[in-house]
Amino acid sequence: MQLLKLVAEQIQIGAPLPFNVRDASGGLLLACGQIVISPAQLASLLTRGMYADAEELRALKAGSRVAAEPPPLAARWSQAVWSIDAMLKTMPDALRFMGSCDEAASEVIALALQDGDLAIYHAVRQENLQLRQYGLTHSLYVATLCLMVSRRLGWPEERQRKAVKAALTMNASIIELQGVYAISGVRLTQSQRELMRQHPEDAYRRLRAAGIQDEEWLQAVAQHHEQVGGKGYPKGQREVVELAQLLRLADVFLAKISARVNRPALDIKTAVRQVYEQAPGNAMVASLVKEFGMYPPGELLRLANGDLAVVIRRGASLQCPLVMALANAKGQINANPVRLDTSKREYAVVAVESDKSMLARMPSERLYGLYGMHGLDSLNPTH
């Protein structure tokens, strides 16, 4: 395949793509027929580098149509981020918002159900390239984790879906500010701090104006930074609805394990311990801890044989995940990552590696395949 680098003028925002858009290695970023939703998405694609197959471009010029490839999971995860962006921008139009919110929630649920391990991998990996879109990616991962925990708790499907929608909309008024802060790390101004403090109520008002009448959803958004006992904000409420407690738990935990320009991500073990110590008998916290396990997908490990490996699947036990070996004990990179089972003594986990820079060069498709390896049972609470 001969790849030609694309420029902004070759992409029409809001119109179906006439060709498949690929990365520098030929991996599919957007399938023919998919839509670049916004200038921000286009800018992100240009930063990453986008290419097209020269043969497809010649076929288009000759008047032929390009066959669309089914989008791989990685491309669908990327597109989901921009669907959330588009959905939030429809809030002033109640009719459009209702439909786009349903569509965004359905796609998040479908992605997580298709491969729960890949969902956790994306949340743990948190590429620095995504910092500018931190507000959007954070909403996506919080929604995914809320789905996982609520499933483990046995909530009805309709309530699970409500949790996803609440997570996708709880930061509606500060999405851009979250991205600015994540990428700059500069101290917020007084007005920005006040905007942060008031954003739960701002989001509540926006949702109410957009026609949302579900009181549990609305109260969850309004209270998602409150804490039982009165130590939260913006009102210091002592009683907090259950759904708001779930939102806050997922929000705080994922913020802890997400890097910023001015601070590294907290390691998973420490983040898990911190949320557990705050509420050791809480069923939600216990469910989150069980969902992530000791070594969640995306964690980088050193094995007994010296290999450096990344977790791709939670194993039958918390201590024994399935991994892909990326490099040997001498630091030599594996051209083709090797799948290993850490329940075997020679591949046992001996340490967690803090430097995850190697993962930035490892597309998730090389670890999981184009379409993932699990079906609907990947979120079955049996881990």
Side-chain angles (χ1 to χ4, degrees):
M1 180 186 298
Q2 181 187 359
L3 295 174
L4 298 178
K5 193 165 188 177
L6 298 170
V7 296
E9 289 73 19
Q10 291 172 279
I11 304 295
Q12 185 177 346
I13 295 172
L17 288 165
F19 45 74
N20 296 296
V21 175
R22 304 177 184 278
D23 60 22
S25 63
L28 191 64
L29 295 176
L30 287 173
C32 175
Q34 288 188 281
I35 295 173
V36 175
I37 296 171
S38 66
Q41 182 183 8
L42 178 57
S44 178
L45 288 166
L46 288 168
T47 299
R48 178 170 182 169
M50 56 179 187
Y51 300 78
D53 184 349
E55 186 174 336
E56 289 184 359
L57 295 180
R58 284 194 292 269
L60 275 174
K61 193 173 182 179
S64 300
R65 296 184 64 181
V66 173
E69 297 181 21
L73 276 182
R76 288 176 61 193
W77 275 103
S78 177
Q79 190 69 0
V81 172
W82 300 107
S83 295
I84 296 168
D85 184 39
M87 176 266 291
L88 292 173
K89 288 175 179 174
T90 66
M91 287 186 81
D93 183 335
L95 188 59
R96 287 182 62 206
F97 172 71
M98 295 284 195
S100 61
C101 190
D102 273 330
E103 289 177 8
S106 293
E107 180 66 352
V108 170
I109 293 168
L111 287 170
L113 290 178
Q114 184 162 341
D115 198 321
D117 288 309
L118 179 56
I120 293 179
Y121 176 88
H122 280 299
V124 170
R125 179 171 164 174
Q126 293 279 326
E127 295 180 42
N128 287 338
L129 187 63
Q130 296 178 330
L131 282 178
R132 191 174 297 278
Q133 289 85 45
Y134 173 78
L136 297 171
T137 57
H138 182 68
S139 295
L140 173 59
Y141 301 141
V142 170
T144 303
L145 186 53
C146 284
L147 175 68
M148 292 177 164
V149 173
S150 62
R151 279 174 59 86
R152 188 176 283 274
L153 290 169
W155 287 13
E157 287 187 8
E158 191 55 39
R159 198 167 184 228
Q160 295 172 27
R161 186 179 185 85
K162 187 187 302 182
V164 170
K165 290 182 176 181
L168 293 178
T169 55
M170 67 183 185
N171 293 328
S173 63
I174 58 165
I175 290 291
E176 292 185 7
L177 180 56
Q178 285 179 302
V180 169
Y181 181 65
I183 202 167
S184 68
V186 299
R187 184 179 176 85
L188 295 176
T189 65
Q190 179 61 38
S191 62
Q192 288 173 328
R193 288 197 296 274
E194 185 61 22
L195 182 60
M196 282 288 195
R197 182 173 180 80
Q198 295 301 323
H199 82 266
E201 293 189 310
D202 289 342
Y204 169 91
R205 285 191 290 269
R206 292 188 185 200
L207 285 168
R208 180 72 81 182
I212 301 303
Q213 298 178 355
D214 187 312
E215 288 300 323
E216 186 180 28
W217 177 356
L218 291 167
Q219 289 301 315
V221 168
Q223 297 178 12
H224 77 272
H225 281 299
E226 303 287 356
Q227 296 185 52
V228 175
K231 293 184 179 180
Y233 67 91
K235 292 184 175 180
Q237 294 179 217
R238 299 185 64 82
E239 295 186 6
V240 183
V241 299
E242 185 180 37
L243 184 50
Q245 294 178 47
L246 175 58
L247 292 182
R248 182 181 181 277
L249 174 64
D251 184 23
V252 169
F253 177 76
L254 289 170
K256 287 177 181 292
I257 65 172
S258 302
R260 305 287 193 282
V261 166
N262 60 344
R263 69 156 176 82
L266 198 64
D267 67 88
I268 302 293
K269 185 177 180 179
T270 301
V272 166
R273 186 183 70 247
Q274 287 182 359
V275 297
Y276 182 79
E277 288 175 347
Q278 289 177 3
N282 186 286
M284 285 184 188
V285 173
S287 294
L288 182 147
V289 172
K290 289 177 182 177
E291 198 64 52
F292 264 67
M294 289 181 63
Y295 306 116
E299 191 74 285
L300 202 60
L301 307 174
R302 184 68 64 179
L303 307 184
N305 68 345
D307 282 359
L308 186 65
V310 61
V311 179
I312 59 166
R313 298 284 177 208
R314 295 160 290 179
S317 70
L318 295 177
Q319 299 85 1
C320 301
L322 298 178
V323 302
M324 283 285 199
L326 306 179
N328 62 23
K330 296 180 180 179
Q332 297 168 324
I333 305 298
N334 293 336
N336 296 300
V338 181
R339 181 169 170 158
L340 302 174
D341 184 350
T342 60
S343 65
K344 296 181 179 180
R345 181 178 300 178
E346 63 268 34
Y347 305 131
V349 177
V350 296
V352 175
E353 293 288 329
S354 58
D355 182 4
K356 296 180 173 60
S357 57
M358 181 179 292
L359 289 177
R361 306 189 299 273
M362 182 60 62
S364 60
E365 307 93 275
R366 290 194 62 193
L367 302 175
Y368 289 89
L370 288 177
Y371 304 100
M373 293 184 282
H374 280 196
L376 294 179
D377 62 345
S378 65
L379 270 180
N380 190 14
T382 57
H383 299 289

